[in-house]
Amino acid sequence: MNRTDALQLMETHTPSASLRRHMLNVEAAMRWYARHWGEDEELYAVTGLLHDFDYELHPQQHPYWGVEYLKANTDLPEDALIAIMGHASYSGVARETLLAKSLFAVDELTGLVQASALVRPDGNVKGVELSSLKKKFKNRAFAAGVNRDEVEQGARELGVPLEEHMQNVLDAMKGMA
């Protein structure tokens, strides 16, 4: 599966612009980490782009429905399917690969970065600084839907200090903007 096909699939199954934006942000962060680790950038990107494609239409069955759909209708490799399952802690699927650990680590954090950009006067992520992001991370009332415990857990599982991980994801999203 290539990015063009993944993007079309995501757009077909994802009505809301905000969830589409989230998946594009996760794609950008996954590309950044693929380059960082020397891994397959296209695989990381497509995995990030598709990780929540089923969330809006099948929220009670996410990510199970999506992974079954991807198995039946695409050639996405097994390690990507396992990573998509593992990004949802409640699935019980272990995150053993860098791909799976990267997806889990960037998923929630991209939401915090996006929220930080949206409250800026210009609404642009390019103006978000790490110091501001760290303050917003500590303020659990800001972007309350972002699970800070999972952000911290993701950085730990990835083996990257939290502050460095925040900067990496911020850089990735700025590069995409």
Side-chain angles (χ1 to χ4, degrees), residues 59-118:
Q60 300 303 316
Q61 299 151 326
H62 169 74
Y64 307 99
W65 187 94
V67 167
E68 287 305 314
Y69 181 93
L70 293 169
K71 278 183 188 177
N73 296 287
T74 73
D75 62 353
L76 202 60
E78 186 70 17
D79 53 344
L81 300 173
I82 292 169
I84 291 170
M85 285 298 293
H87 95 277
S89 294
Y90 56 83
S91 74
V93 173
R95 294 177 290 276
E96 297 175 349
T97 64
L98 275 175
L99 176 65
K101 291 174 184 180
S102 297
L103 181 59
F104 180 74
V106 304
D107 186 28
E108 289 289 311
L109 184 52
T110 60
L112 183 70
V113 174
Q114 182 64 39
S116 298
L118 290 174

Side-chain angles (χ1 to χ4, degrees), residues 36-48:
H36 178 74
W37 302 126
E39 297 281 321
D40 182 340
E41 188 173 334
E42 191 76 1
L43 175 62
Y44 272 56
V46 167
T47 303

